[in-house]
Amino acid sequence: MILHDYWRSGAAYRTRIALNLKGVAYDQRSVDLRTGAQRSETFVTLNPQGMVPALEVDGAILTQSPAILEWLEETHPEPALLPGDPVARAHVRAMAALVGCDIHPLNNLRVGKALCEGFGADQAAVDAWAARWIVPGFAALEALVARHGEGWSFGATPTLADCYLIPQLYSARRFNVPLDAYPRLLAVERTAQTHPAFAAAGPDLQPDAD
């Protein structure tokens, strides 16, 4: 497998976590979003959307991290990142979607560039914009972890919810969002920091990291 990613991309980060949890070996190809490498003819041929991650596997190109993570769960079922019970699976998917649909898309790199280039926002304004979506999302996640967590976001083992949460906590710090109001999320993060799959996926350890 070849994972086309960028070290600070939240979507790529969650994909690395899931690949590591599944014990799947992969090579990495850096796509530097800051220089516009994602818009190069070579990469757009690979992924017409011009976004990371993209996963090459068995002659296919998989895009969009939610689809990649679901494919991983289907093709590499152990260890399971979704519970066996259908209602529990729905809860985990909802927690993941809270980050993947309602927080992350509103504070990724291209949105930040649009705020700066199209609306004249400075970094303080970009930080405030990001916090506007992170804060209520994390408040909801804090309540859900209180309801369902047993050491991890849902239950006593890592799930897709954790693959989404940990990169979003990293992103929140980049935008200077205070996190003291979310002790349960931070407790999950501390647990993840001791897990090899999460630790190895960290942005600062990637080959293309600054």
Side-chain angles (χ1 to χ4, degrees), residues 71-194:
W71 172 84
L72 276 169
E73 185 71 0
E74 292 171 1
T75 58
H76 299 77
E78 297 297 333
L81 300 182
L82 286 169
D85 175 72
V87 172
R89 286 202 302 273
H91 285 315
V92 170
R93 286 187 169 115
M95 294 169 80
L98 197 160
V99 173
C101 299
D102 297 334
I103 301 177
H104 175 257
L106 290 161
N107 55 68
N108 61 20
L109 180 62
R110 63 178 182 164
V111 170
K113 283 188 173 181
L115 290 170
C116 295
E117 296 170 2
F119 300 94
D122 60 10
Q123 189 58 51
V126 172
D127 288 355
W129 168 268
R132 178 176 180 174
W133 312 107
I134 292 171
V135 167
F138 276 6
L141 276 173
E142 180 76 8
L144 290 170
V145 173
R147 185 178 302 171
H148 300 297
E150 298 174 21
W152 293 90
S153 295
F154 189 100
T157 59
T159 66
L160 290 183
D162 303 297
C163 296
Y164 282 77
L165 171 62
I166 299 306
Q168 193 58 57
L169 286 166
Y170 174 85
S171 180
R173 291 189 176 92
R174 289 180 55 214
F175 292 114
N176 300 303
V177 177
L179 299 176
D180 292 346
Y182 317 110
R184 291 179 178 85
L185 303 189
L186 294 177
V188 172
E189 183 183 46
R190 288 192 295 272
T191 299
Q193 288 169 343
T194 68

Side-chain angles (χ1 to χ4, degrees), residues 13-22 162-163 166-167 197-198 201:
Y13 188 177
R14 70 177 70 125
T15 303
R16 293 192 301 266
I17 292 171
L19 286 164
N20 293 347
L21 284 168
K22 294 294 188 179
D162 303 297
C163 296
I166 299 306
F198 286 83

